[in-house]
Each structure stands twice: as C-alpha cells, then as structure tokens.
Amino acid sequence: MLEFTINGEKHQADVPPDMPLLWVLRDVLGMTGTKFGCGIAQCGACTVHLDGVAVRSCQLPAGRVGDRAITTIEGVGNTPAGAKIQKAWIDLEVIQCGYCQPGQIMSAAALLASNPAPDDSDIDAAMAGNICRCGTYVRIREGIKHAARS
Ligand code: FES
Ligand code: FES
C-alpha cells in the first residue's frame, strides 16, 4: 500500500511501486484531470507538481514519490500562481480543444511560482516540453505574461 498527499489530502493506493503515478491518479484514484498523451515523457500532458516542481507523471514510478506533496490540475487553482494562470487562461481564451491544457497550466504555474516575471526565453524554456496539437503557443505565452502582471 502506498500513501500519497495529493492537493493537501492523504490518499492510499494498493498499487505496485513501479506503476506510473499517472496511472495511479487516473485509473486508481479517479482523478482524470491529468491527461495521458504519449506515455514517454515527450508531450507534457501528464504534468503534475512534486513539491512545486513540474514533473511528467507518466514516467514517474509511484514508489518514487515518497513524502513529496503532489499537486494536480484539480488542486493547482488553490495555489497563488495556479489561480493567476487559470484566470489568465480564461481572460485570454487560451484553450482550443483543451486536451493538452492541464499539462500546460501545471508547467506555467510552476514557472510563475518560481519566477514572478518571466521573459520570453524563460517561458520558452519552461514550456518547451509541453506540446499543443492545436498550436495555442502564442496565447499560452501571452497568458503567462498576463498572469505575471496580475
Ligand atoms: S503523457 Fe507524459 S509526457 Fe506525454
Ligand atoms: S488546445 Fe488542443 S492540443 Fe492544446
């Protein structure tokens, strides 16, 4: 039995330690906001925070999480940076189909929490691993700047 702290709440899951955290979140705990895209750490759809750091949950064995706090898209709006990013995404209508956006928001929130005034190169570096098939990259960049100004 593994124990996790997710969005401030304790959860237990009877899963093998090598099961990817993404599987635990979606299939065992029913938290389906975090998306499956590629499964090989190439698209960013599965991004969550571990102690505030953006990580790809599809390639993170559940047994390696330890006592680090997990934040998912379901809870990131309760953090100051996450709330600003989500408001900016709504204000600027960043989203198109939406599939990649939980991961985009998680990466953007981690960036804003660590760098309250990111420039274009900071944004490009932080968001490089998040793929959007709909090509919302320009609005994502503007959304992060809008959130930083708010
Ligand atoms: S599903 Fe994890 S990076 Fe694509
Ligand atoms: S909004 Fe459709 S994949 Fe990004």
Side-chain angles (χ1 to χ4, degrees):
M1 186 74 72
L2 295 178
E3 196 168 280
F4 305 95
T5 303
I6 307 172
N7 303 326
E9 292 182 5
K10 297 281 186 200
H11 294 265
Q12 290 188 331
D14 189 8
V15 297
D18 61 348
M19 178 182 279
L21 177 62
L22 178 61
W23 272 237
V24 179
L25 293 171
R26 289 183 57 85
D27 298 343
V28 180
L29 300 177
M31 302 176 71
T32 55
T34 306
K35 300 304 184 210
F36 173 83
C38 64
I40 53 170
Q42 296 295 308
C43 78
C46 65
T47 304
V48 301
H49 297 175
L50 278 194
D51 282 347
V53 177
V55 298
R56 308 296 186 234
S57 63
C58 69
Q59 285 291 303
L60 178 67
R64 294 247 193 96
V65 173
D67 58 6
R68 288 177 288 180
I70 301 167
T71 305
T72 69
I73 189 66
E74 288 89 351
V76 76
N78 294 326
T79 69
K84 286 183 182 181
I85 291 291
Q86 288 186 330
K87 182 174 185 314
W89 255 229
I90 293 167
D91 288 350
L92 300 190
E93 298 183 353
V94 169
I95 293 167
Q96 194 157 323
C97 84
Y99 196 83
C100 73
Q101 297 291 334
Q104 304 282 2
I105 287 170
M106 296 308 291
S107 290
L111 167 63
L112 196 62
S114 66
N115 179 352
D119 62 19
D120 283 350
S121 63
D122 297 328
I123 292 170
D124 289 349
M127 303 303 292
N130 287 82
I131 306 300
C132 176
R133 278 187 299 183
C134 300
T136 63
Y137 301 110
V138 173
R139 293 202 297 277
I140 286 170
R141 186 190 271 184
E142 286 310 307
I144 293 170
K145 291 180 180 174
H146 184 76
R149 285 192 297 268
S150 66

